[in-house]
Amino acid sequence: MDKTISFKLNGEAVSITTDPLRRLLDVLREDFKCHGVKEGCSEGECGACSVLLNGEMVTPCLIPLGAADGQEVVTVEGITATEKGDIIVQAFADGGAVQCGFCIPGMVVAAYYLLSRNPNPTEDEIRLGISGNLCRCTGYDLIVESIKLAASRGGDIWKK
Amino acid sequence: MEKVMCYIPKTLNEALEIRNKEDVIVLAGGSDLMVSHKRTIGLTPKFDKSVMIIRNLPEIRKIYMDGSECHIGAACTSREIAESPLVPWHVRQAASRMGAIGLRNSATIGGNIANASPKGDTPGPLYLLDARVKIASTDGVREELVSDFIIKFRTIDLKPNEMITEVILPLSEDDFDYVFWHKVGTRKANAISKVTLSQAVKFASDGTVCDYRASATATGSKTNRSRDVENIIIGKRIAPELIEEVIAAFDGIISPRAMPEFRRESCRRSIRRFLTEAEKRRIEGCRDKVIDTYDGYYVPCAPVCRLS
Ligand SMILES: Cc1cc2nc3c(=O)[nH]c(=O)nc-3n(C[C@H](O)[C@H](O)[C@H](O)COP(=O)(O)OP(=O)(O)OC[C@H]3O[C@@H](n4cnc5c(N)ncnc54)[C@H](O)[C@@H]3O)c2cc1C
Ligand code: FES
Ligand code: FES
């Protein structure tokens, strides 16, 4: 049965009348055209679909739309529109972190979530921070290096 | 396909009223239900009954102390639990190693208990610490030990109009001298437990054991713990022969199906390691509470596969 679900998406109030049991992932991609939210495994294992729900990183392939009612969702599109997001994207490009690119939106969300909570992570903390994000191309090292680069380039910005 | 109803109550009372009127599927984090009901890419999961989403109910999303007991709301996520200084150590350990970061922001403790999987991570510590679930319905509230509430594989003692609202922990690491928690998984993130041991011990002033507990997950159809096994060592001083007696008795209460010898051997080693090290630290007067496994401790001892 359809319902009207209202939430904040990338800072803007939105609402949609649809089946609240649809996966948040599908609604973000199909109805709100947030195509940076990728579907890899469909079961919470790969992190390609990662978004922030009330500031916490989650996998919307496991979340029904109804769980976002009255809440706040930020996708990679919202993150990359900020100064912090821009620093991560630049660092990923300069650091050679990207091969096929499929995992990268999820990696950017994971990097943003990590650096926002821990502006100065150690290598182990970075690896832990992206441990829920699978990459089949890069072998992770250059992604880890790029997150270090984003941490040092951003400096105090991450403490805001 | 006929669409089922989806309720999104704003308060616990509203949720209990809905549950009283209709046998709805309670969905908290969704990390079990969305996987078990998933269809293919782009399709809405298929539920055969109405669903009620309780993820954001404020009444069951808080952690607080009542006297010396820690209360964890049923919809608290693994991250919230892992990061709360109020939560007993064993439970924090288990919560901090569930899934990966994204999952820990969805998976709830109520869902982990109600899912009643013998591989679930939180029941081990909850059995160890005599945790209780608080269960509510429009008829009132009741409490039950988690170890009684989980009847067996995927079976819990919950009536159709009831919901778990809290998990209550009467004990913490402060009640013990030494503690142990070790999860054997295939990798650090997103690893479902191969076997997990939780243990705790307390000594009397004369050096005898006054409390010892051990629980194991992924070693049978539900989490294993036995007061009879623990009683073998209570009132006595730890000695190698006594440890072997405990190990043999513990071996008798577990019934792992897949890779049984690996799981049995992991339990034996965990118990031997913990009790030996606890006695050593007691004698030395070492107050370092957490006893870890050491590197290379878990040498897999699954049977060798032969090609012939
Ligand atoms: C990628 C991935 C990795 C995982 N890793 C682990 C792991 O390492 N360790 C582990 O233990 N589990 C793991 N799980 C399983 C799952 O995340 C946990 O069992 C989690 O705690 C379930 O909680 P939930 O709120 O998401 O459950 P839901 O899917 O919302 O619900 C699960 C069950 O509990 C019932 N339920 C939920 N809340 C209540 C309530 N308050 N009252 C009554 N019934 C209720 C539901 O009706 C349902 O039957 C993993 C799952 C995935 C997808
Ligand atoms: S598609 Fe969501 S975690 Fe893989
Ligand atoms: S760059 Fe291809 S999956 Fe990561």
Side-chain angles (χ1 to χ4, degrees), chain B residues 243-263:
Chain B
I243 295 176
E244 294 309 313
E245 218 182 297
V246 173
I247 287 173
F250 199 83
D251 209 44
I253 64 159
I254 62 175
S255 49
R257 279 182 303 162
M259 298 194 306
E261 189 45 33
F262 168 77
R263 290 189 156 97

Side-chain angles (χ1 to χ4, degrees), chain B residues 72-123:
Chain B
I72 305 174
C76 289
T77 64
S78 296
R79 181 189 59 79
E80 289 161 351
I81 293 166
E83 289 181 358
S84 169
L86 302 179
V87 173
W89 180 83
H90 288 93
V91 184
R92 273 188 280 132
Q93 293 302 306
S96 70
R97 281 291 309 281
M98 276 175 69
I101 301 199
L103 184 96
R104 291 197 283 276
N105 283 324
S106 278
T108 68
I109 192 162
N112 202 231
I113 296 171
N115 195 43
S117 160
K119 293 181 181 171
D121 276 320
T122 59

